[in-house]
Amino acid sequence: MLQYLIIQLDNTSTSFCHYSNTKNRPLLITLDNLKNGILFAMKENLMVQYVLPDYELPAEYIEAMESIDNTKIASYQSVYANNADIVVLNGWNKEYLFDKDDVYVLRVDKKELFGKCSEIKEKIKMCRRLNIVITDVETFTDVDFELYRSVLKEFSIALEDSFAADFVAQLNVLTDRMMLDKMNNCNAGCDSITLAPDGRFYVCPAFYYENEYNIGSLVDGLDIKNPQLYRLEYAPICRHCDAYQCKRCIWLNRKTTFEVNTPSHEQCVVSHLERNASRELMMSVRERVEFLSDKEEIKDISYLDPFDLRDEWL
Amino acid sequence: MEKIKENSSGWSNGMARNITFIVTKDCQLACKYCYLVGKNSNERMTWEVAKQAIDYILSHEDDFKEESVIWDFIGGEPFLEIDLIDKICDYVKIEMYRRNHHWFNSYRFSFSTNGINYHTESVQNFIKKNIEHLSIGITIDGTKRKHDLNRIWKTADMKKGGGSPEEERGSYDDVARNIPLWLEQFPNAGTKVTISSADIPYIKESVLHLYSLGIHEVNINCVFENVWQEKDDVKFEEQLLELADAIIDGEFYKDYTCSFFNENLGKPLDRKLQNQNWCGAGKMLSIDAAGNFYPCTRFAQYSLRDKRAWMIGNIYDGIDKNKLRPFLVLDRCIQSTLECIECEVAEGCAWCQGENYDSADTSTIYQRSTAICKMHKARVRANNYYWNKLFRKLEFKGIAKKESVDYAKLSNSNNLIC
Ligand code: SF4
Ligand code: SF4
């Protein structure tokens, strides 16, 4: 069921996810479209998430935006970074100042992640939650998978100490799976949709930036064709999977396999490396202290890509 | 004891990998139902492209593990490129031998042709050279009247994009003259007949005509495209009832088959145990003149009306396996509506993944086209009639029903409608 409306306020509003923002020239959503978007959200009972640009918005925009309960996403460079609920870090910089109560999204490519792993690791404990989004997952090779395995190991060591010291730092790629008993994916097109600066609805901002199809407009209404394909039950591989923390990125699915419901090999392996690293971390912490006692142990499995099990389901 | 003729099983019985070379997009004919919307005379495969494709395939043995291979040649009309095909086949044989490839003793060359050039010297030389490893299907739609309705020669004006019905010239005589030679060389050959809306009144006479030409196996199916008019199902059912009477009364069932009648048809399907996909797209590989790979020819641009080609790689970069994943995990229920899943007569209701893709509301292979629904239901009714009548007749003749059912099952277990 739809729960969230993401409003991409400007073409230059930061990406907070796997896609890159391909539009450099500012294009602010019209005030009418903003207000109509808010009205739509109110009528459909949707929570609004604003993705803010770096520059200051006109006062009447801010006034309209605050007419509904909302969450704000802004980049570290944005004038709104201090008011944002989620701050996006585009690329790594060791000078970043973290606030203990804030949630950060770190968008990095594999080269930076592998290269700056020790610096990043030090910051995990300095915020409420860090979400790492790898922006080139689809390019991972077998060598990258091994490197990522070691990066997760390093992060695990840092986290294990903090858990033993009773501070539960959250790092999406390691701690989410421990807490989850069922899938918790991006769910774009199913739980959330995006209103872009052009007044049209998209599955997520990536579909707007990559000139993919829209799913209706404020004028004509929402029109999601084949809506079932965004639901887990209609995802032929994911519905058999227990990498519950996986983003299951609808956009990357579309880009790599042409189908919104079918993930690439690379996405699956990366998510399983995370799943397995979570398992090991959970077991190590449990050897030292009582930890998440209401949660079941994560099972030991022999595959990294559930696609390899397809003969068992078909 | 009286027998019902068994359909010949497909070569290698589904254990073969199908590799299709789209050698040309040109054809002498301009069949009205042809799904190839982008036919043209410019895109001919070069030897360099063909060779590189073969080299790629044979050097990636791990990705092609099936025990056998069918090297398939289609067009347009493949025999327009017989010299290239001859060179390709020679090279394939030499390379499979040289590499000690596991397909060396388990291969076949397969053709679907309009039959017009069948008698020519170059085609005949090729056939003689490869006859042990050859399957050739000639498409003939039935009687002259029925065949000439759709399978017409391309005119000079059509080549330029024009043409009028007055100029239409059917191709029946040009094909029929080659049928005796073909049947002499391939006595068990079958033919494929495609039924569109305008063909319905001619079904019975066409099948019987093909039998009279000496063709014992008629593989016939309705097109998957949404071409059906109101009441077509009623007319279709009437034709099939008449055909059923003719086959049973004339006792053709002893020596001839028609794929419309199949004992395994029209039952509900179990959601779990009978959840397989129908179509083989994704388990095949098609290569076009530019060296691009497709999961099946229907996904090449020249076959698609409304969608972009679904390319899964090319001879230079190889196969992008991610682009094949959706095909390899596709099952029946995930692409079907509840109506299809719960359908009382679902068994045998076919689909083509390419047509599903082309007609889907979004760019997906996960939305089954149901344009054929009413035609399938009509076929099921006629099929029920056929078997009830046939069994009754055999019972009267003293043949136990169970035995007949066993024969019938055997006889129809290998019908592929694609
Ligand atoms: S589909 Fe979801 S995970 Fe992928 S880019 Fe869009 S919002 Fe992010
Ligand atoms: S790991 Fe793969 S199968 Fe599992 S949820 Fe993620 S994308 Fe789906």
Side-chain angles (χ1 to χ4, degrees):
Chain A
M1 201 178 80
L2 269 188
Q3 296 173 48
Y4 303 99
L5 176 67
I6 298 165
I7 302 184
Q8 189 82 8
L9 289 162
D10 187 273
N11 264 359
T12 60
S13 295
T14 182
S15 163
F16 56 88
C17 212
H18 288 288
Y19 62 96
S20 20
N21 186 330
T22 53
K23 303 189 198 284
N24 318 323
R25 289 226 198 102
L27 173 74
L28 186 59
I29 192 168
T30 64
L31 190 56
D32 274 351
N33 279 345
L34 174 61
K35 287 181 177 169
N36 287 332
I38 293 167
L39 182 63
F40 176 86
M42 285 176 162
K43 290 196 288 192
E44 299 294 329
N45 255 340
L46 305 179
M47 307 255 296
V48 170
Q49 299 180 331
Y50 294 117
V51 193
L52 291 133
D54 289 358
Y55 64 86
E56 193 158 348
L57 290 166
E60 59 272 30
Y61 276 69
I62 300 290
E63 192 186 329
M65 285 162 64
E66 293 308 330
S67 63
I68 188 168
D69 192 19
N70 66 77
T71 308
K72 294 188 186 69
I73 302 170
S75 85
Y76 188 83
Q77 283 77 21
S78 168
V79 294
Y80 297 106
N82 283 339
N83 301 338
D85 302 279
I86 297 169
V87 178
V88 180
L89 314 169
N90 285 299
W92 180 248
N93 183 341
K94 66 171 186 287
E95 308 302 326
Y96 283 139
L97 296 173
F98 278 37
D99 187 319
K100 258 223 159 331
D101 297 324
D102 276 350
V103 174
Y104 295 88
V105 169
L106 171 60
R107 299 182 62 249
V108 275
D109 61 20
K110 60 186 180 189
K111 188 163 166 244
E112 207 171 12
L113 177 66
F114 301 157
K116 299 287 161 60
C117 162
S118 357
E119 288 178 21
I120 297 169
K121 163 178 97 173
E122 293 309 316
K123 299 278 185 175
I124 301 173
K125 290 166 275 182
M126 298 190 177
C127 59
R128 185 148 66 93
R129 177 178 169 87
L130 181 64
N131 282 346
I132 294 183
V133 174
I134 308 171
T135 52
D136 51 2
V137 171
E138 70 277 19
T139 68
F140 268 53
T141 61
D142 287 349
V143 174
D144 297 328
F145 292 143
E146 281 316 307
L147 289 169
Y148 190 47
R149 199 195 294 269
S150 350
V151 165
L152 289 168
K153 186 78 210 160
E154 271 210 54
F155 288 162
S156 294
I157 294 167
L159 281 171
E160 193 183 324
D161 290 342
S162 82
F163 289 160
D166 212 21
F167 171 69
V168 183
Q170 289 189 26
L171 176 66
N172 64 334
V173 294
L174 280 172
T175 57
D176 283 2
R177 176 60 185 83
M178 297 175 186
M179 319 279 181
L180 291 166
D181 303 314
K182 60 180 173 46
M183 277 292 178
N184 182 31
N185 319 122
C186 145
N187 290 347
C190 172
D191 290 356
S192 69
I193 52 165
T194 292
L195 176 64
D198 65 357
R200 296 199 179 99
F201 294 117
Y202 293 85
V203 173
C204 96
F207 286 72
Y208 170 65
Y209 286 111
E210 299 289 338
N211 298 320
E212 279 281 350
Y213 55 90
N214 65 65
I215 49 171
S217 68
L218 286 168
V219 179
D220 303 322
L222 185 64
D223 178 20
I224 308 183
K225 302 252 165 51
N226 277 325
Q228 77 283 4
L229 296 181
Y230 302 98
R231 302 209 309 261
L232 182 62
E233 310 91 270
Y234 284 82
I237 309 177
C238 305
R239 64 186 176 182
H240 297 282
C241 176
D242 78 343
Y244 299 147
Q245 88 296 345
C246 175
K247 274 267 191 182
R248 210 162 74 73
C249 174
I250 303 295
W251 156 243
L252 275 182
N253 289 355
R254 170 85 180 128
K255 180 175 171 182
T256 54
T257 71
F258 293 152
E259 289 286 355
V260 292
N261 65 350
T262 313
S264 66
H265 171 70
E266 293 76 18
Q267 172 148 7
C268 288
V269 174
V270 162
S271 292
H272 278 78
L273 292 172
E274 293 163 359
R275 175 209 180 272
N276 294 347
S278 303
R279 173 177 186 272
E280 279 165 26
L281 174 59
M282 196 172 182
M283 292 198 321
S284 311
V285 180
R286 279 182 171 173
E287 274 172 21
R288 293 169 63 175
V289 290
E290 193 179 316
F291 182 64
L292 298 175
S293 47
D294 59 326
K295 300 287 169 199
E296 275 182 27
E297 197 169 283
I298 302 169
K299 273 194 288 183
D300 189 16
I301 52 174
S302 57
Y303 56 88
L304 286 175
D305 183 352
F307 175 78
D308 297 339
L309 305 182
R310 64 192 180 281
D311 290 345
E312 290 175 17
W313 334 310
L314 292 172
Chain B
M1 179 168 53
E2 189 155 284
K3 270 196 175 184
I4 302 171
K5 180 176 159 47
E6 292 176 27
N7 244 346
S8 58
S9 56
W11 182 75
S12 199
N13 215 5
M15 302 302 288
R17 177 70 165 233
N18 205 298
I19 296 173
T20 304
F21 289 87
I22 308 170
V23 283
T24 176
K25 291 182 182 166
D26 197 9
C27 183
Q28 309 97 320
L29 305 184
C31 302
K32 292 178 190 166
Y33 52 60
C34 182
Y35 66 86
L36 301 174
V37 286
K39 274 192 302 191
N40 63 70
S41 50
N42 312 322
E43 291 176 67
R44 301 168 57 201
M45 188 174 277
T46 62
W47 163 240
E48 288 69 32
V49 165
K51 179 178 178 301
Q52 195 153 344
I54 296 162
D55 289 343
Y56 174 82
I57 292 161
L58 294 182
S59 59
H60 287 80
E61 210 167 337
D62 274 356
D63 293 337
F64 297 88
K65 289 204 173 106
E66 294 82 355
E67 60 189 42
S68 312
V69 62
I70 298 173
W71 303 94
D72 195 12
F73 298 89
I74 65 158
E77 166 50 35
F79 282 152
L80 287 176
E81 294 295 335
I82 188 64
D83 293 340
L84 172 71
I85 289 169
D86 188 37
K87 201 168 172 183
I88 290 176
C89 293
D90 283 351
Y91 184 68
V92 162
K93 287 181 282 186
I94 292 166
E95 280 299 296
M96 289 193 301
Y97 175 73
R98 192 183 66 78
R99 293 167 188 258
N100 196 18
H101 195 285
H102 74 281
W103 285 341
F104 174 63
N105 259 328
S106 196
Y107 70 94
R108 212 149 183 88
F109 300 124
S110 166
F111 296 82
S112 277
T113 170
N114 60 28
I116 288 172
N117 285 356
Y118 189 83
H119 63 289
T120 57
E121 194 183 345
S122 45
V123 173
Q124 280 302 307
N125 285 342
F126 174 82
I127 291 173
K128 281 170 199 146
K129 182 155 84 178
N130 293 290
I131 192 130
E132 298 297 325
H133 290 275
L134 220 49
S135 313
I136 299 182
I138 293 186
T139 305
I140 183 158
D141 271 3
T143 57
K144 180 171 166 56
R145 187 160 64 132
K146 154 78 170 67
H147 184 98
D148 285 348
L149 195 69
N150 279 311
R151 300 186 68 80
I152 54 170
W153 281 90
K154 194 158 66 182
T155 62
D157 281 350
M158 278 176 185
K159 286 179 196 163
K160 291 183 216 128
S164 69
E166 301 86 71
E167 297 168 2
E168 279 182 16
R169 185 162 73 85
S171 61
Y172 178 86
D173 294 334
D174 309 283
V175 182
R177 67 173 175 181
N178 284 328
I179 298 296
L181 176 61
W182 173 53
L183 288 175
E184 187 187 311
Q185 290 171 325
F186 301 96
N188 297 321
T191 192
K192 211 169 119 178
V193 182
T194 311
I195 301 297
S196 202
S197 181
D199 310 314
I200 294 172
Y202 310 103
I203 291 174
K204 181 186 112 184
E205 63 174 47
S206 293
V207 173
L208 295 177
H209 179 74
L210 293 168
Y211 289 172
S212 76
L213 290 178
I215 299 169
H216 287 246
E217 193 173 309
V218 177
N219 294 308
I220 186 164
N221 68 284
C222 293
V223 297
F224 294 105
E225 286 76 4
N226 191 10
V227 296
W228 306 108
Q229 313 282 328
E230 211 181 317
K231 295 266 182 347
D232 270 356
D233 52 336
V234 178
K235 293 183 215 154
F236 181 55
E237 187 180 325
E238 279 165 11
Q239 273 293 310
L240 292 192
L241 291 178
E242 286 180 28
L243 177 61
D245 286 340
I247 290 178
I248 294 169
D249 298 344
E251 302 202 336
F252 289 110
Y253 56 85
K254 294 180 189 169
D255 290 313
Y256 299 85
T257 64
C258 168
S259 60
F260 269 143
F261 302 120
N262 183 331
E263 229 277 322
N264 297 324
L265 188 76
K267 311 272 184 317
L269 289 172
D270 186 273
R271 281 183 194 221
K272 287 213 166 76
L273 300 174
Q274 294 169 297
N275 195 21
Q276 299 80 3
N277 192 22
W278 177 280
C279 166
K283 294 175 184 144
M284 310 186 266
L285 180 72
S286 280
I287 308 136
D288 73 3
N292 293 316
F293 292 145
Y294 305 91
C296 150
T297 308
R298 189 67 174 75
F299 288 84
Q301 198 63 65
Y302 83 137
S303 315
L304 294 164
R305 298 180 304 271
D306 291 328
K307 296 287 190 323
R308 266 189 291 172
W310 189 303
M311 251 179 242
I312 57 166
N314 58 56
I315 53 173
Y316 311 105
D317 306 321
I319 294 176
D320 176 352
K321 290 184 189 161
N322 280 333
K323 302 283 188 290
L324 275 176
R325 281 163 75 99
F327 292 89
L328 300 180
V329 291
L330 188 56
D331 62 49
R332 178 177 67 87
C333 291
I334 202 169
Q335 60 187 309
S336 304
T337 59
L338 197 60
E339 189 188 345
C340 290
I341 294 172
E342 292 181 345
C343 174
E344 289 292 319
V345 295
E347 192 165 18
C349 183
W351 61 86
C352 158
Q353 223 62 58
E355 174 55 23
N356 287 0
Y357 173 58
D358 213 1
S359 61
D361 295 330
T362 61
S363 179
T364 182
I365 57 169
Y366 282 76
Q367 184 189 344
R368 180 170 155 191
S369 160
T370 53
I372 209 162
C373 178
K374 66 177 182 180
M375 305 305 283
H376 173 72
K377 287 175 178 158
R379 178 187 172 202
V380 168
R381 289 189 291 272
N383 187 58
N384 291 342
Y385 169 82
Y386 175 88
W387 291 104
N388 278 316
K389 177 166 173 158
L390 180 57
F391 289 145
R392 193 72 181 144
K393 173 172 175 159
L394 297 181
E395 264 180 296
F396 276 130
K397 287 186 150 198
I399 295 171
K401 181 165 180 176
K402 175 166 181 323
E403 223 170 18
S404 313
V405 172
D406 288 346
Y407 270 115
K409 281 201 170 132
L410 267 178
S411 77
N412 289 289
S413 56
N414 293 301
N415 278 346
L416 251 193
I417 300 179
C418 187

